[in-house]
Amino acid sequence: MVPDGAGLNQLGGWTVISLLVLFFGGTLLMTFFIGRKNENADGYMTAGNKVGFGISAASMTATWIWASSMYASATSGYTYGISGPIHYGLWGALMILFIYPFGKRIRAVAPKAHTLAEILYVRHGKSSQLMLAGSNIVGSLISITSNFIAGGALIALLSPFNFTQGIVFIGTGILLYSLWSGFRASVLTDAAQIFAMLGAVIIIIPVVFFATGGTDMFVTGAANLTPQQSSFFSSDAFLNQGAPYIAAVLAYAIGNQTIAQRLFAVREDLIKKTFITATVGYGATIIGIGMLGVIALYAGVVPLDGDTNNLIPQMAATYLSPVLLGLFLVMIVAALSSTADSDLSAMSSIMMADVYGQNIAKEGQANPKTMLFIGRITMVVATGAGLYFASGQLNILDLLVFVGALWGALVFPVIASFYWEKVTNKAFTVSVLVALACFIPVRFAWIPMSGATGIIVDILATVGIGVVLGLMAFGFFGLKVAKIVAAVAILATAPFAIGFLHDYAILSGSLVAYSVSTLVCYFMCFRNQANFDFDTIKERIGDFDNRQETNHESAEALLEKKA
């Protein structure tokens, strides 16, 4: 067994600073290609809706592969054994795939949108818009926090610097290159970052594997595993990791503004191609890096300070040479940067389009220069908040599963709003609030699950299984198949789930959020006689810069007419 923190290699302080300056300086130089003459509010949010395949696929892959997902996949491997990274990486990859059929519908309805919440403003009104926008602000803050935690833990283990200094280095570097060009900087630097990540993974995983004993490790280290950890079909892994993550990542896919931004930025004819490529890239990388956790489990590694957030950097510091350790540092920094800059861009877009553009400025009179100022101030404030929350060093896997489950309350109302003409603002708002009110006490075990309460939770969770699988089927095969899949799933799982599922708080809480929001939204809408005209969205959502120019030209024409 490897003792706690024994034999850790470190990089010198100046070496770490040089690598960080090289990485962040390089990304900053890349953003200088985005000239000042191209500065505008729409480009800052969506890069003009015409990003090509290569950059889009790289950006989508890099955004989904964050340092936190690497750490969480390794934690899953260490906790649940060999099936842990499979459950984490495979389902996450498939969720990228599930985005594109819904994404094609969203782009068809609103080809010039900047945020999903902006569309909901036209579809429903302020309450639905701000509810989705607010959930994305919370989600992106949690994402930035978890990535700063990953960076701080990395630097604290690999260098003489402490955790606080580490998160300040990371946060400052990301803010510097993101601040000026916003989403354009994020999508441009993602291409370089994904090559850094993939190259490092290809080299580092085999090196660590052979350094720990290679194939012999699976024989000598088998005694370190429980029967569940050694089983490829572990029920523990599925119920505690796989199933909750299936539900969580579907919510991420539908409700996450960082994903929506890339959906709005890529050329419309390249959506399918982009998301299929990102599916393969994400799955291979995350499953591969998660195997570090499995290797640690077989090798008998004890996480430093009992914190599984330290597991990946600890493995690197134990088994890699200084040169590969530097490469590893660049890999993790690239992973966390590619997602953190996306979250900064997402939050700035929400504040620009949803808060200022549609709720503060008068209709059609949003000033693009003011929007850019608001976007940049948002990035500064969000970075400061992320650094503050990161100082608490929370468990990354718990953060990811929690925010994904939280978004589960929004999935059905959001999807239904793009397909079903009968969904109302009241139904959307009430269904989400009721779902959250049910999710939180179940997730945190605030209520006893014995007797009738447990049975009710199990019934709702079973319906939630049908909702999740039905929505997946709906995206690819349409409503009729979705109904059949949902009904079969509920009937097939009910005998096993009822009386049992409430023992798994993370899974049941997430499924309850899905089922309650779906049931409430449906029963509040199915008798509605009014039908929404989806063409209205396309007519009312466009470029803010063009809108300003049009208003200016109209004003000049009016003055000339009066003269």
Side-chain angles (χ1 to χ4, degrees):
M1 178 175 286
V2 178
D4 193 4
L8 297 184
N9 301 314
Q10 281 195 332
L11 298 170
W14 284 111
T15 301
V16 171
I17 290 174
S18 299
L19 287 170
L20 292 177
V21 169
L22 183 65
F23 177 83
F24 288 120
T27 52
L28 183 61
L29 284 174
M30 289 180 68
T31 65
F32 289 164
F33 288 102
I34 306 169
R36 189 181 181 89
K37 64 181 181 180
N38 294 325
E39 179 187 31
N40 63 73
D42 296 301
Y44 199 86
M45 291 186 279
T46 58
N49 311 106
K50 53 186 178 183
V51 180
F53 166 68
I55 295 294
S56 294
S59 182
M60 183 65 244
T61 308
T63 298
W64 206 254
I65 299 174
W66 29 336
S68 299
S69 63
M70 289 183 169
Y71 281 39
S73 183
T75 297
S76 186
Y78 186 81
T79 305
Y80 302 113
I82 193 165
S83 64
I86 306 293
H87 282 302
Y88 192 95
L90 177 62
W91 304 125
L94 288 178
M95 287 311 109
I96 302 176
L97 188 65
F98 281 113
I99 297 170
Y100 94 75
F102 296 115
K104 290 176 70 174
R105 169 64 179 175
I106 292 169
R107 276 295 292 272
V109 168
K112 290 289 186 178
H114 308 87
T115 71
L116 283 176
E118 181 185 19
I119 304 174
L120 288 182
Y121 177 80
V122 178
R123 179 68 178 86
H124 294 307
K126 286 186 179 181
S127 63
S128 299
Q129 177 205 27
L130 295 178
M131 189 172 288
L132 183 58
S135 73
N136 267 285
I137 292 289
V138 171
S140 286
L141 270 177
I142 290 176
S143 172
I144 283 180
T145 298
S146 63
N147 276 291
F148 286 171
I149 290 170
L154 174 75
I155 290 176
L157 272 176
L158 301 189
S159 76
F161 300 112
N162 60 33
F163 176 83
T164 302
Q165 291 169 325
I167 62 175
V168 171
F169 291 158
I170 297 297
T172 303
I174 294 168
L175 180 63
L176 281 176
Y177 77 81
S178 302
L179 189 62
W180 174 252
S181 299
F183 177 76
R184 292 169 300 177
S186 174
V187 77
L188 181 64
T189 56
D190 280 345
Q193 289 163 350
I194 191 62
F195 285 120
M197 283 186 272
L198 294 178
V201 167
I202 290 169
I203 295 170
I204 287 169
I205 303 300
V207 169
V208 173
F209 175 70
F210 288 111
T212 53
T215 54
D216 291 340
M217 173 190 60
F218 293 116
V219 178
T220 59
N224 295 323
L225 278 68
T226 66
Q228 282 287 326
Q229 288 173 329
S230 60
S231 171
F232 188 80
F233 300 100
S234 167
S235 59
D236 264 358
F238 179 74
L239 291 169
N240 288 297
Q241 172 63 65
Y245 202 59
I246 293 171
V249 291
L250 179 59
Y252 267 106
I254 300 303
N256 193 328
Q257 172 59 18
T258 63
I259 307 304
Q261 257 184 311
R262 279 146 186 81
L263 172 64
F264 295 133
V266 65
R267 270 176 37 199
E268 196 167 347
D269 60 312
L270 297 175
I271 290 174
K272 179 178 179 180
K273 190 177 178 181
T274 295
F275 283 93
I276 289 176
T277 303
T279 297
V280 176
Y282 172 88
T285 305
I286 293 301
I287 292 173
I289 202 74
M291 289 302 166
L292 283 176
V294 179
I295 293 171
L297 180 63
Y298 274 93
V301 173
V302 177
L304 189 62
D305 300 326
D307 185 358
T308 54
N309 292 341
N310 292 326
L311 198 56
I312 283 186
Q314 182 181 344
M315 291 291 288
T318 303
Y319 297 107
L320 296 180
S321 66
V323 172
L324 289 180
L325 204 54
L327 181 63
F328 174 81
L329 175 70
V330 172
M331 175 188 77
I332 299 296
V333 171
L336 65 88
S337 298
S338 66
T339 303
D341 63 30
S342 300
D343 284 308
L344 289 178
S345 298
M347 286 189 281
S348 65
S349 295
I350 289 169
M351 295 302 294
M352 290 166 71
D354 295 310
V355 177
Y356 170 74
Q358 291 181 315
N359 286 287
I360 296 177
K362 292 181 180 179
E363 187 172 351
Q365 296 183 26
N367 187 325
K369 290 184 177 179
T370 303
M371 294 181 79
L372 284 167
F373 176 75
I374 290 171
R376 289 174 179 141
I377 290 296
T378 299
M379 286 195 178
V380 174
V381 173
T383 301
L387 292 173
Y388 173 77
F389 292 125
S391 62
Q393 292 182 259
L394 303 172
N395 182 281
I396 291 174
L397 187 58
D398 287 346
L399 284 177
L400 300 185
V401 173
F402 173 74
V403 73
L406 193 65
W407 273 334
L410 285 157
V411 174
F412 180 85
V414 168
I415 291 177
S417 295
F418 285 97
Y419 290 89
W420 194 20
E421 300 89 344
K422 295 181 181 294
V423 180
T424 64
N425 183 47
K426 184 177 180 180
F428 186 105
T429 304
V430 171
S431 63
V432 172
L433 291 176
V434 172
L436 289 177
C438 295
F439 160 74
I440 292 173
V442 173
R443 169 63 183 83
F444 295 105
W446 289 355
I447 53 177
M449 288 295 168
S450 57
T453 304
I455 297 300
I456 292 171
V457 167
D458 287 345
I459 292 172
L460 289 173
T462 303
V463 173
I465 294 172
V467 171
V468 171
L469 296 180
L471 288 174
M472 291 177 180
F474 172 70
F476 287 99
F477 306 111
L479 184 59
K480 184 176 181 180
V481 173
K483 288 179 177 179
I484 294 171
V485 169
V488 170
I490 292 170
L491 293 174
T493 57
F496 308 98
I498 297 174
F500 161 78
L501 210 52
H502 62 263
D503 291 332
Y504 297 86
I506 297 175
L507 175 57
S508 57
S510 180
L511 292 173
V512 164
Y514 273 96
S515 64
V516 170
S517 62
T518 301
L519 293 171
V520 173
C521 186
Y522 174 77
F523 284 110
M524 288 185 69
C525 296
F526 80 102
R527 289 187 176 180
N528 180 24
Q529 297 300 312
N531 290 325
F532 179 79
D533 182 4
F534 284 103
D535 289 337
T536 306
I537 296 174
K538 193 179 298 185
E539 294 167 3
R540 292 182 56 186
I541 293 179
D543 292 337
F544 283 99
D545 292 278
N546 290 343
R547 215 178 297 174
Q548 185 76 4
E549 290 171 8
T550 301
N551 290 339
H552 181 67
E553 290 170 2
S554 299
E556 285 186 342
L558 183 62
L559 288 173
E560 288 177 6
K561 186 177 180 180
K562 285 184 177 180

